[in-house]
Amino acid sequence: MQKFKLHISGGMAVYIGRQVLTKMHEHHALEIVMSFQKSFLISKNGTEFEKSDCSIIAADLPHQFIGKDDFYIFIYLDAELNYTHRLEASMHLEKQGLVHYLSSEIDAVRTEFINWFNSASNEEENVHSLIGLLVEKLTDSENSVNQIDERIKQSIAFLYSNLNEEISLANIASKVHLSESRFAHLFKEQTGIPFRKYILWCRMQAALQEVMKGQSFTNAAYGGGFSDVAHLSRTFTEMFGVSPSEVLK
């Protein structure tokens, strides 16, 4: 059996790996984590841990994960996605932060993710279909909520298209016809994260896509617009609580 499997595209990512242990960390994505068979421990403060088989974690919430000798499914959804908004509303994540879900309710979807892990397929369409099915099961709804401001959508699209360039707040604000201060305020209001920190999140996704293509960490760092591999490794550890070499080798 393979050691891990990773897919990332369209603001969504799935990582399946064995015996994952993290430090306290946070990232700009709602996270869904499920075990193959054995439960895991999860904490919002690093001292008090709860036992779970399936948990939903709000974007930008510090947390720590301790897995046993089992494989675990980690699903990451960008905070701006409609899927994320639906889960936030259904699970009341703004107040709860961390919600545990009865895993037996989604056993069929979990089995599909396990089958995907054991297959040779890594096609975007298949992964997105599984994530969509999981969100529908968790929310029991197909309704859309909380549409993001069009100017912020445009700025995010520009970021992803220009990660290898020098990106300034002033430049992006002018592209959506806002002052720097108004854009910075609106961006934080809409995304829940400061503009500079969001750039790092975008760069991380781009770097991970390079890793998926078989690039070395060094080449992936440059491909994502990081200054060097040390910057990539440090940022990855802050976001995911483990070093990239621990989970991607």
Side-chain angles (χ1 to χ4, degrees):
M1 182 179 287
Q2 58 190 322
K3 293 182 179 180
F4 74 90
K5 194 168 188 176
L6 170 68
H7 179 92
I8 180 168
S9 65
M12 296 182 276
V14 179
Y15 170 82
I16 299 180
R18 189 182 186 95
Q19 201 169 353
V20 179
L21 306 171
T22 79
K23 301 174 183 177
M24 286 292 290
H25 62 285
E26 61 181 276
H27 42 68
H28 193 58
L30 180 147
E31 180 179 345
I32 303 168
V33 57
M34 299 181 287
S35 63
F36 272 26
Q37 294 179 319
K38 299 179 182 178
S39 59
F40 52 85
L41 297 176
I42 194 161
S43 173
K44 293 190 289 186
N45 57 23
T47 56
E48 299 174 359
F49 287 84
E50 299 176 86
K51 191 175 182 180
S52 178
D53 298 309
C54 175
S55 296
I56 299 92
I57 307 151
D60 303 307
L61 179 77
H63 58 283
Q64 182 176 1
F65 177 94
I66 299 178
K68 298 178 181 177
D69 186 19
D70 191 18
F71 282 91
Y72 296 94
I73 306 163
F74 298 86
I75 299 160
Y76 302 94
L77 305 174
D78 268 10
E80 292 69 48
L81 291 177
N82 183 262
Y83 281 164
T84 303
H85 295 158
R86 283 166 53 185
L87 285 161
E88 287 172 339
S90 178
M91 302 287 179
H92 306 289
L93 286 178
E94 186 175 336
K95 293 182 179 179
Q96 301 291 335
L98 172 63
V99 173
H100 306 303
Y101 193 84
L102 185 61
S103 62
S104 60
E105 298 291 330
I106 53 171
D107 274 347
V109 186
R110 185 209 323 268
T111 298
E112 289 301 316
F113 274 104
I114 293 173
N115 291 340
W116 170 75
F117 174 70
N118 291 324
S119 73
S121 171
N122 204 17
E123 293 181 8
E124 178 178 319
E125 183 178 343
N126 293 341
V127 179
H128 287 194
S129 175
L130 286 179
I131 292 173
L133 179 60
L134 177 60
V135 172
E136 287 181 21
K137 291 288 186 181
L138 290 172
T139 62
D140 193 28
S141 169
E142 295 183 5
N143 296 329
S144 61
V145 292
N146 297 343
Q147 293 298 317
I148 194 168
D149 188 287
E150 190 62 35
R151 293 166 295 185
I152 301 305
K153 283 185 181 178
Q154 292 174 13
S155 67
I156 289 172
F158 180 83
L159 280 176
Y160 277 110
S161 300
N162 295 273
L163 289 174
N164 285 314
E165 306 296 328
E166 188 67 32
I167 300 171
S168 71
L169 181 66
N171 181 250
I172 294 228
S174 67
K175 287 185 179 297
V176 294
H177 310 292
L178 292 172
S179 68
E180 288 184 51
S181 59
R182 174 58 185 149
F183 174 76
H185 176 79
L186 182 64
F187 193 93
K188 174 71 182 298
E189 179 182 76
Q190 289 277 300
T191 67
I193 187 173
F195 176 71
R196 294 289 180 192
K197 196 171 181 181
Y198 192 88
I199 292 175
L200 282 178
W201 177 241
C202 294
R203 294 194 191 285
M204 179 57 64
Q205 293 182 70
L208 289 175
Q209 287 177 323
E210 292 300 309
V211 171
M212 285 171 51
K213 296 174 184 176
Q215 294 292 334
S216 66
F217 290 145
T218 299
N219 289 340
Y222 294 132
F226 286 94
S227 56
D228 52 38
V229 70
H231 188 200
L232 168 62
S233 181
R234 184 169 62 253
T235 303
F236 187 100
T237 302
E238 289 172 358
M239 289 183 179
F240 299 105
V242 292
S243 70
S245 60
E246 288 180 85
V247 293
L248 297 177
K249 280 189 175 179

